[in-house]
Amino acid sequence: MAADAVRLDDASLRISRLLEPEVRRDPYPFYRRLREAAPVHWDEAAAGGGGAWVLTRHADVMAMLRDPRMTATRMGPPPGEEWLPEEYRAAARQVFRAMPHQLLFQDPPDHTRLRGLVNKAFTPRLVEGMRPRIRERVHTLLDALRERERMEVIAELAYPLPAIVIAELLGVPPEDRAQFIKWSSDFGAFLDGSNLTPQEAMQALVGVADFMDYFRAIIARRQDEPRDDLLQALLAARERDDVLSEDELLANLVLLLAAGHGTTTHLIGNGLLALLRHPDQYARLVSEPGLVGTAVQELLRYDSPVQVTGRTAREALTLGETDVKAGEHVTVILGAANRDPAAFGDPDRLDLGRQENRLMSFGFGIHFCLGAPLARVEAEEVFGAVARRLPDLRLDFADGAAPDWEPSVVFRGLRELPVAWG
Ligand code: HEM
């Protein structure tokens, strides 16, 4: 196929349509249309208006994410400060200097070095060791509802749990937790970027800068008062090998919170919504608690918290039959790959016992989600405890009300999820 033929931009296929309420409510018919009619197409408005190739087939998404000719770095100079009022510029400078050091925006060899260090500290053993505490936290949140017959899942369970877990992971003392949660909501939108107003962007910048200052102070204290947690393990790795700069460390602490909070909140919210919309599947989980492991995988596949990611071509290359020029962006729709019939039988069906597990929800290749084991443990503990304690749980939207989704192209999550029992 000639490159020009697929370059034709069709506004009805633009991924910005994910912001339209109708498409946001259920993006999967839109994805099916993209996959069938234009599996590799040029979207003039994607990637912040610079344009991008958009991929929706499972095989194409996987191939792109493992292609070493793609870079995860944000090419080009850091954003300027001119648009910022004077009082925000110092914060912005420190943030813009540090953020490119986040793993997500690094290529080998820096990515390999940093990821190796974080992996050494963020081990499966550490995560499994957190399970009893996570279970306790889930039960404490549910205990608070004992006398009640309804709750709003996002505010009362899905939002606080991962914030508490990451705060503990990073050794934030309980008295600072409220501030920590505020930072998280300040810059939760930072990774998305697509939808920030200038006011929100400034608030996010200040939040990130305050967070970095706060951790600088905590790190200084740790020299005299070492603890047994992820932060200490990272500091030990830094001292031993002398290969982790302060900017790198701080930038990746920011990333752990930014990448690990909202995503897990959305997994709990989207997952519970899917379960309650399929009462047969919820009943299955209630009667077969051992299914919780595959259930979490299936809920991640069915309605992924991260829908979209992207890379930039480092050199001219061919994707299938499409010519991509050096410097062009490629956007992959993980949520579309997860519903590709070539990878999953009867992909629109929710089946908690599904064995096919090549889901794209955590990405693929060298940037595969570092927090996947932790997110899985949190979700297993939540869905397990909810099914055991609230077997007759049901949706509780006011008459005629429908779920309200966050306006985002990258993330997919609910603003509220009212449920009732008893
Ligand atoms: C359900 C919850 C989660 C989902 C759906 C999710 C999804 C993802 C995806 C799709 C990527 C790859 C992005 C890309 O290739 O461009 C990623 C990377 C990452 N995630 Fe997660 N994530 C979740 C939870 C977490 C948690 C709990 C943490 C840590 C506390 C975390 C930390 C990270 C980090 C550090 C990376 C970057 C890894 C790298 O670049 O090497 N994530 N995540």
Side-chain angles (χ1 to χ4, degrees), residues 103-104 111 115 255 259-260 263 309 311 361-363 366-367 369 371 375:
L103 277 172
L104 210 45
H111 178 267
R115 174 110 186 187
L255 177 64
T263 48
T309 188
R311 302 284 188 269
S361 312
F362 288 125
I366 62 169
H367 292 279
C369 178

Side-chain angles (χ1 to χ4, degrees), residues 69-371:
R69 295 169 301 175
M70 293 290 172
T71 174
T73 57
R74 299 293 183 261
M75 300 191 344
E81 298 167 8
E82 316 70 44
W83 60 282
L84 283 166
E86 184 61 38
E87 68 266 30
Y88 289 102
R89 292 191 183 168
R93 217 164 299 137
Q94 113 154 275
V95 173
F96 292 154
R97 195 186 64 221
M99 289 309 107
H101 293 299
Q102 292 188 334
L103 277 172
L104 210 45
F105 306 129
Q106 292 275 318
D107 291 335
D110 280 335
H111 178 267
T112 322
R113 170 179 58 86
L114 282 175
R115 174 110 186 187
L117 278 172
V118 183
N119 270 343
K120 226 187 273 172
F122 202 174
T123 58
R125 200 174 63 90
L126 178 130
V127 172
E128 230 4 87
M130 291 173 73
R131 191 186 282 274
R133 283 269 279 288
I134 293 174
R135 181 168 301 169
E136 208 182 296
R137 297 286 175 217
V138 172
H139 283 291
T140 308
L141 289 166
L142 292 177
D143 285 347
L145 308 165
R146 226 197 285 269
E147 306 300 322
R148 310 226 320 246
E149 292 187 339
R150 39 177 45 90
M151 73 165 144
E152 199 284 278
V153 173
I154 303 301
E156 298 188 86
L157 180 62
Y159 190 81
L161 179 73
I164 295 169
V165 170
I166 301 173
E168 287 188 350
L169 183 74
L170 298 181
V172 174
E175 64 272 20
D176 294 342
R177 207 172 279 155
Q179 173 62 63
F180 186 77
I181 292 178
K182 166 135 188 3
W183 280 322
S184 181
S185 62
D186 276 356
F187 60 78
F190 211 67
L191 280 184
D192 186 349
S194 56
N195 226 24
L196 288 184
T197 63
Q199 195 51 43
E200 287 166 338
M202 280 187 271
Q203 198 175 343
L205 278 173
V206 172
V208 177
D210 287 350
F211 178 98
M212 290 171 71
D213 289 342
Y214 173 81
F215 269 96
R216 253 188 222 106
I218 291 219
I219 290 166
R221 278 213 301 275
R222 285 302 182 89
Q223 271 159 357
D224 301 327
E225 306 162 25
R227 302 252 303 266
D228 181 20
D229 60 15
L230 174 68
L231 178 60
Q232 202 71 41
L234 285 171
L235 292 171
R238 177 158 90 132
E239 247 161 53
R240 206 171 38 242
D241 304 329
D242 193 25
V243 284
L244 185 64
S245 73
E246 182 170 86
D247 269 356
E248 287 175 335
L249 176 59
L250 292 171
N252 284 289
L253 294 179
V254 174
L255 177 64
L256 288 174
L257 178 58
H261 186 192
T263 48
T264 312
T265 299
H266 295 341
L267 169 56
I268 296 169
N270 300 1
L272 213 46
L273 176 69
L275 282 172
L276 299 181
R277 279 177 161 174
H278 297 82
D280 61 316
Q281 295 298 306
Y282 188 60
R284 207 173 156 196
L285 185 62
V286 169
S287 61
E288 288 179 66
L291 265 187
V292 75
T294 54
V296 167
Q297 289 290 102
E298 175 67 347
L299 294 167
L300 272 162
R301 181 193 73 84
Y302 189 78
D303 209 5
S304 176
V306 181
Q307 293 280 315
V308 167
T309 188
R311 302 284 188 269
T312 305
R314 202 197 291 278
E315 56 190 79
L317 54 97
T318 314
L319 280 179
E321 294 173 329
T322 306
D323 296 329
V324 175
K325 296 190 187 123
E328 283 183 338
H329 293 287
V330 181
T331 291
V332 291
I333 306 191
L334 307 172
N338 281 342
R339 298 281 191 112
D340 185 344
F344 301 97
D346 200 359
D348 294 326
R349 192 161 65 90
L350 181 73
D351 171 6
L352 299 192
R354 190 184 284 274
Q355 294 301 319
E356 301 146 315
N357 60 6
R358 292 188 305 153
L359 53 126
M360 287 292 120
S361 312
F362 288 125
F364 191 74
I366 62 169
H367 292 279
F368 181 82
C369 178
L370 187 90

